[in-house]
Amino acid sequence: MSSRRPSTVSSCSPCAITFDLQFMSRTSKKNRGVCLVAIVKDEEPFLDEWLVYHRMLGVDHFFIYDDHPAYPMEAFLKPHREYVTVVPWFGQDALLPGRTTQTKAYVHAVVRYVHQYSWVGFLDVDEFVVLRQDERLHGFLDSFPDAAAVSLNWHVFGHCGYYDNPPGLITASLIRRMSQPSEQVKTFTRPGQIAGISSPHYCELESGGRVDANGRRFATALYPERTQRAHINHYQCRSFRNWMGRVERGDVTVPPGATPEHDRWRWDPEACLRQFVMTVAKDKNEYVDEFMFRYQADILQQTALLGREGTGLH
């Protein structure tokens, strides 16, 4: 592939990035709906499906933060260029405030890009929004007119017996998950209400409240109908080999120099294997969930139009 793009992210120095809600309000353009922000590295086999699926749900634009030091993502994502902005990010966050590479990217997106949208969601490429009662994200999110943020709980999926990455769609191949939802969430937020970001799971709010998928004031405690309307499918382990490769890939969610003890397995091969045996293989394949089959034909049709046949990436 070609050499790395120039390191400049924007005309402003990264170290000068701060929240300026008045500036964002003055420069906001006409409302443009819903956008997603993600930071990626070595996600090429999975990106097409993730982008096509969320476009089907009505996402208007994606801001992809490219954290790979050697292989530019911009050329790979050219088939999606009408609705994707690629931001070169490797090494760009060193002078920015914040705890992790991931949350620094999210702060950058809030300040530079997402203020012109009604809603912004911060997702990883292994996370898929699932709407069980609504057709599109616009209608779902607009049903919470008084909320500043809407948090959707994870359903965590296992490897479903795959040693290597599934040859087909992730959403059609991985159909086994934990029977109960996780307390962890990902959140859609009104950009003008964001006061700060210290967690990838939700933003600090300038004002307004946060609700769950049923419009109830958000609380961590689960209840039986928590995910009956909407949730996030978290394909945490696409295969055994993909899981074990996370040590080499690194992790933008935790800083290696100050990793909490419960996350240190992410940096050690033997500990990563132990985590797989004791969590993924043990309890993340216990319940069959085939809801996403309904999108399979449409996803395959749309990804076929991208022209990746013969690349191993379609």
Side-chain angles (χ1 to χ4, degrees):
M1 292 187 177
S2 61
S3 60
R4 187 68 187 176
R5 296 182 299 275
S7 60
T8 301
V9 174
S10 71
S11 59
C12 298
S13 171
C15 63
I17 293 175
T18 58
F19 282 100
D20 185 343
L21 299 178
Q22 290 185 341
F23 168 79
M24 290 191 286
S25 177
R26 291 196 305 270
T27 58
S28 293
K29 298 179 182 179
K30 185 178 179 180
N31 180 294
R32 295 178 62 185
V34 181
C35 67
L36 288 181
V37 178
I39 181 169
V40 303
K41 179 182 178 182
D42 295 328
E43 294 284 3
E44 286 88 341
F46 314 109
L47 259 173
D48 286 337
E49 179 181 1
W50 188 82
L51 289 166
V52 164
Y53 170 76
H54 285 100
R55 280 289 286 176
M56 288 166 50
L57 291 192
V59 172
D60 298 284
H61 202 84
F62 303 81
F63 297 95
I64 303 297
Y65 280 69
D66 178 6
D67 198 45
H68 203 291
Y71 303 110
M73 184 66 68
E74 192 167 19
F76 177 80
L77 289 176
K78 190 174 181 179
H80 304 279
R81 60 187 177 275
E82 292 184 3
Y83 46 85
V84 171
T85 297
V86 178
V87 183
W89 194 244
F90 181 76
Q92 294 295 318
D93 67 309
L95 299 178
L96 298 181
R99 191 173 70 90
T100 69
T101 298
Q102 182 180 37
T103 54
K104 291 177 182 182
Y106 293 172
V107 169
H108 184 272
V110 170
V111 173
R112 292 286 180 257
Y113 299 118
V114 308
H115 48 275
Q116 59 190 296
Y117 293 87
S118 296
W119 295 92
V120 56
F122 300 98
L123 294 184
D124 297 326
V125 178
D126 61 0
E127 296 170 329
F128 286 67
V129 177
V130 179
L131 302 178
R132 290 185 174 263
Q133 299 178 10
D134 300 80
E135 292 294 324
R136 294 170 67 83
L137 268 167
H138 296 76
F140 170 70
L141 292 170
D142 287 347
S143 69
F144 308 105
D146 299 323
V150 182
S151 288
L152 309 182
N153 287 80
W154 278 349
H155 274 303
V156 182
F157 285 69
H159 70 308
C160 208
Y162 284 97
Y163 182 79
D164 294 299
N165 288 335
L169 298 176
I170 290 297
T171 51
S173 301
L174 301 183
I175 60 171
R176 291 184 174 272
R177 60 166 172 84
M178 296 182 71
S179 60
Q180 298 300 314
S182 167
E183 291 185 350
Q184 293 281 21
V185 300
K186 284 301 179 73
T187 302
F188 285 87
T189 309
R190 298 185 189 275
Q193 301 297 332
I194 297 176
I197 305 176
S198 58
S199 166
H201 299 283
Y202 54 87
C203 303
E204 290 86 48
L205 299 176
E206 183 77 13
S207 61
R210 180 159 66 108
V211 301
D212 65 21
N214 297 315
R216 300 188 187 183
R217 182 177 178 179
F218 185 83
T220 302
L222 300 174
Y223 55 88
E225 301 82 21
R226 183 67 166 253
T227 60
Q228 69 177 3
R229 185 178 179 190
H231 56 84
I232 302 288
N233 276 7
H234 185 196
Y235 297 100
Q236 184 184 57
C237 179
R238 287 122 165 191
S239 67
F240 172 73
R241 290 186 65 179
N242 186 269
W243 177 272
M244 294 303 298
R246 64 195 305 150
V247 176
E248 181 179 350
R249 292 193 301 270
D251 197 320
V252 297
T253 66
V254 291
T259 306
E261 185 174 353
H262 66 272
D263 278 326
R264 290 177 186 170
W265 60 269
R266 299 171 185 268
W267 306 100
D268 177 77
E270 183 177 351
C272 189
L273 176 59
R274 184 181 301 113
Q275 188 77 3
F276 176 86
V277 172
M278 297 178 67
T279 63
V280 177
K282 176 176 177 287
D283 62 9
K284 292 185 172 62
N285 296 282
E286 60 187 357
Y287 180 82
V288 175
D289 182 346
E290 299 178 339
F291 182 83
M292 295 292 277
F293 278 0
R294 66 189 59 200
Y295 299 102
Q296 183 176 10
D298 288 336
I299 295 174
L300 288 172
Q301 182 182 45
Q302 292 301 313
T303 54
L305 298 176
L306 300 175
R308 301 202 193 277
E309 288 78 3
T311 67
L313 293 172
H314 61 282

